[in-house]
Amino acid sequence: MSGYIVDDARKVTTRRFQEMKEQGKKIAMLTSYDYTTAKIVDAAGVDAILVGDSASNVMAGNQTTLPITLDQMIYHAQAVVRAVKRALVVCDMPFGTYQVNATEGVANAVRIMKETGCDALKLEGGVEIVETVKRILEAGIPVMGHLGLMPQSINKYGTYTVRAKEEAEAEKLVSDAKALADAGCFALTLEKIPAELAQRVTSEVNIPVIGIGAGGGVDGQVLVVADMLGMTQGFSPKFLRRYADLNRIMSDAIGQYVTDVKSGDFPNEQEQY
Ligand code: KIV
């Protein structure tokens, strides 16, 4: 099998996202950070590609998402946009580019849209950033919210454990979700929260809710592509389903290449001019 057979080959828009929620069609989303991967991910039938700030961990080897810069996110998003024909491309606004004030947030949002050609932006946070979200929306830029575990706030939490297990945090999350939906966000990501709470949010807001570690009662799922393909090691949260063991496949192939070079088997007569 070489991919999912899509029933609608048109470019996915934020409006199509909304229709999918209304029609009860699940939304499949994955991250990508480079041209080659995004081309495969798009052709295989995902509805949306997230140029996540997880590029900071996955591509650059940082411990957190905090160090990645606006220029670096723009570089990744440009590469992904060049590859994609159908999927909606959403780019994360990196840490520090929208938290200072709304004016700076809009300027940085405009820069990402102008320089990358992506379709929408994702921002972490609830009522604290809602004014900035509104200003970005007023500039004509679609925004996806992100609640629950917000990796840009890892230094505040001190842990990557499940969020909103206690009632107070759960109630704040529900009111944040409503505030973002009321502000005009086209969708919401919920990361690592109890499935029951994610299902409640999904039924109480009228925009699509995409989950990662948030159970099956949401409108769609997102995973980090390197995790679900088994490229990354030492990261096995309960929510992660591995669809391949690319780490082993790549290691075997590279090991064979090294053997062939060292033995003089590669290149052979047909592999030279
Ligand atoms: O950066 C990212 O990959 C994300 C997903 C985990 C949702 O924000």
Side-chain angles (χ1 to χ4, degrees), residues 7 19 55 58 86 89 96 107 116 123 127 146 176 197 211 251 273:
D7 60 4
E19 287 166 5
V58 179
R86 177 178 174 273
V89 180
T116 70
L123 279 70
V127 289
H146 182 148
D176 282 344
L197 176 62
S251 298
Y273 300 100

Side-chain angles (χ1 to χ4, degrees), residues 17-47:
F17 247 53
Q18 185 63 36
E19 287 166 5
M20 288 174 83
K21 176 167 179 123
E22 286 160 12
Q23 294 163 0
K25 291 186 178 166
K26 295 275 189 185
I27 298 166
M29 185 167 184
L30 280 177
T31 67
S32 294
Y33 320 103
D34 68 278
Y35 177 85
T36 304
T37 310
K39 215 167 169 57
I40 297 168
V41 169
D42 183 50
V46 299
D47 302 301

Side-chain angles (χ1 to χ4, degrees), residues 17 20-21 25-29 47 188-190 202 208-223:
F17 247 53
M20 288 174 83
K21 176 167 179 123
K25 291 186 178 166
K26 295 275 189 185
I27 298 166
M29 185 167 184
D47 302 301
L188 197 57
T189 295
L190 294 181
T202 306
V209 175
I210 311 296
I212 174 165
V218 291
D219 300 304
Q221 300 292 329
V222 59
L223 284 176

